[in-house]
Amino acid sequence: MEDDASIRLRTRDICTNLTLLRHVRAANPDAVLIYKPHPDVEVGLRPGSLSEARRWCDVIAAIHDPISLINQVNEVWTMTSLLGFEALVCGKSVTCLGLPFYSGWGLTRDRQEVPRRHARPDILGLIHACLIEYPRYFDPVSRLPCPPEVVVQRLSVAANLPQPWYLRPLAKIQGSFASQAHLWR
């Protein structure tokens, strides 16, 4: 998403989807390029859709499961997307054109100078740091801090609970407000 803080603050030369696609095509002229737009871009909530995308990529994978796409590709190129972290977790090669949190640890090919990192974790170390050690989780039942295992247990139980009737209309209302976010950003 081109108006996202990670793009505005963590990229230098390549900071639009079109520039990303041009760069990846130039670096990989014979590759089959699959472009996965951000979900908010796909539904029109954020800027970044590309009318010219087909000129630079072979497939636009809108409304596709990102993990199934990752499992079908050899590598992922990204500016700062979380999709790059997911690709690392899936064992794929990742090239970063910006500075996402997972770049600079020796696990990605970084095309932008990265501030010096002192540690060199393996992928399991990075996953542990990002999902277990660094975050602080909150238990909505006890209303106290909790370990990640409690959150996973709460989510697994919640997934099986019936949803209140008003959640779907509420989500639609939230979506309509989100589509007007440019008015207050």
Side-chain angles (χ1 to χ4, degrees), residues 61-104:
I63 319 296
H64 281 77
D65 172 45
I67 299 301
S68 67
L69 291 171
I70 288 170
N71 288 330
Q72 296 177 48
V73 301
N74 295 327
E75 61 183 305
V76 170
W77 286 57
T78 182
M79 288 181 277
T80 62
S81 175
L82 185 59
L83 190 74
F85 180 68
E86 294 166 335
L88 281 175
V89 170
C90 291
K92 299 297 179 170
S93 174
V94 176
T95 299
C96 297
L97 302 172
L99 298 175
F101 69 92
Y102 52 86
S103 66

Side-chain angles (χ1 to χ4, degrees), residues 110-167:
D110 302 313
R111 297 295 177 99
Q112 189 171 316
E113 187 176 331
V114 180
R116 185 175 166 187
R117 309 268 196 197
H118 298 287
R120 287 285 181 225
D122 61 8
I123 187 62
L124 292 178
L126 185 64
I127 292 168
H128 182 269
C130 293
L131 299 178
I132 296 171
E133 192 66 33
Y134 178 76
R136 299 296 174 247
Y137 294 100
F138 175 78
D139 180 0
V141 175
S142 71
R143 306 194 62 75
L144 295 170
C146 67
E149 294 83 2
V150 171
V151 173
V152 170
Q153 193 275 331
R154 300 277 191 237
L155 289 171
S156 67
V157 170
N160 298 324
L161 296 176
Q163 299 298 315
W165 65 269
Y166 56 83
L167 286 184

Side-chain angles (χ1 to χ4, degrees), residues 157-180:
V157 170
N160 298 324
L161 296 176
Q163 299 298 315
W165 65 269
Y166 56 83
L167 286 184
R168 185 168 294 280
L170 182 60
K172 297 268 186 204
I173 292 167
Q174 287 175 323
S176 66
F177 277 114
S179 67
Q180 302 302 316

